[in-house]
Amino acid sequence: MSGYVPGEQPRAGERVIKLNTNENPYPPSPKVMEAIRDVGADVLRKYPNPTADAFRDAAGSVLGFGRDWIIAGNGSDDILAIATRTFLSSKDVLAYPDPTYSLYPVLAEINESGRAAVAWEDGFDLPVEGLLAARPRAVFLANPNAPTGTFVAPARVAELARRLDGVVLVDEAYVDFADENCLELVREYPNVVVSRTLSKAYSLAGLRFGYAVARPRVIEQMMKVKDSYNCDAVATAAATAAILDQDWARDNWAKVRSERRRLTEELGRLGFRVLPSQANFVLARVPGGAAGELKDRLKAEGILVRYFDKPGLSDKLRITVGSPQENEALIRTLRNLLT
Ligand code: PMP
């Protein structure tokens, strides 16, 4: 099988402008750093709380759910792996709109489950009929989607949930940069699971912390198949501090959204066709279409962006929204390379 290929991480100390893996350009809350410093030796000596209850209570208070509606994971990739194990046997099919996060087919394959990649409808509308026709046990929907940044309205996700005899997992890794989200659907639909991460919205990709929200009966099943201690004590303390500092996070989301607007406009001026994005990255069609080549030329200038050599994507680059200075440097470099 082919494994998942993560975006390139430069060596420690290497000076690059890193716009290839959708990290947040701003630092995590100072309260996170304080929580990490406050972890005592005795906390490290002992096993952590197996279900990261401090985090579940904190997230529950922020989002308006009881602890039993939440499961924590070692990044949301862990949540996605737990969901695959919980909901799919080797006789079942995992369906997802295509293109999307390239981990989904890998998870299905590891699980020896079937997979159905269903093309998006025009304008990146949810292909409800196509997904249902695949008769899946579970649908994974990245919303906002990666690598397109496009968004499916909650009402449309609800329609799928109503009609599907199976689970709809809404992967909201990027949702804090969007105008809407699907969290309230979990109250109404017993088959909806919403997964989130602290990697992007809370600037903690290096920490590894994610979570899912669903009906307690669903969470109970997911708990059975996770690793016993999937969240360590340091990460749980830090993630708890992060989610409680909503002011810090919201401030950063607003900055990213405003830079996203500016980056979209500037790229448009250079002849890129940019999809309207609700995430912290944009997918942009390169003028002339030679995207792979442009990615290499940007790399030679010390700027990393993401390129997917796949049908529908091979003429485009996915560019993470960086700090104002990083975005400025990208635009300046592109201007030089393209003229
Ligand atoms: N879902 C989507 C759509 C993503 O792009 C990513 C980031 N690669 C993840 C989930 C996983 O993020 P993490 O494991 O850092 O929470």
Side-chain angles (χ1 to χ4, degrees), residues 127-322:
V128 174
E129 302 302 332
L131 289 167
L132 292 171
R135 304 195 143 276
R137 226 31 225 136
V139 169
F140 283 5
L141 170 68
N143 201 31
N145 187 44
T148 57
T150 49
F151 189 78
V152 175
R156 193 87 171 119
V157 180
E159 184 190 339
L160 177 65
R162 261 194 306 276
R163 294 177 57 194
L164 180 71
D165 180 19
V167 170
V168 178
L169 183 141
V170 191
D171 176 351
E172 295 198 331
Y174 300 102
V175 85
D176 296 297
F177 307 107
D179 297 330
E180 294 178 276
N181 65 69
C182 290
L183 190 58
E184 288 307 312
L185 297 186
V186 306
R187 293 191 210 272
E188 198 174 338
Y189 298 98
N191 60 335
V192 172
V193 177
V194 166
S195 81
R196 292 193 173 172
T197 177
L198 276 74
S199 295
K200 296 122 204 301
Y202 296 86
S203 312
L204 290 172
L207 186 81
R208 312 306 304 137
F209 213 92
Y211 62 97
V213 185
R215 291 273 180 97
R217 175 106 180 94
V218 177
I219 295 296
E220 212 179 294
Q221 313 315 312
M222 295 174 79
M223 288 286 187
K224 292 177 187 170
V225 305
K226 75 173 188 65
D227 290 350
S228 342
Y229 300 103
N230 60 328
C231 298
D232 69 79
V234 181
T236 301
T240 303
I243 201 146
L244 289 174
D245 197 349
Q246 285 289 302
D247 288 346
W248 180 275
R250 282 176 192 283
D251 215 39
N252 290 336
W253 306 343
K255 285 191 272 189
V256 168
R257 289 161 60 113
S258 126
E259 276 301 297
R260 178 178 72 202
R261 213 171 304 127
R262 199 172 69 87
L263 185 61
T264 303
E265 283 166 15
E266 295 279 356
L267 288 170
R269 248 173 244 137
L270 289 173
F272 287 79
R273 276 212 310 274
V274 187
L275 275 174
S277 170
Q278 288 279 294
N280 67 338
F281 56 83
V282 296
L283 187 69
R285 187 187 178 279
V286 171
E293 194 183 303
L294 185 58
K295 178 216 51 168
D296 291 337
R297 292 171 71 200
L298 281 170
K299 187 174 173 182
E301 301 289 330
I303 299 179
L304 300 183
V305 297
R306 193 85 193 259
Y307 170 68
F308 300 92
D309 191 6
K310 285 185 191 163
L313 296 175
S314 60
D315 58 347
K316 304 179 181 75
L317 293 177
R318 193 197 67 189
I319 305 171
T320 305
V321 178

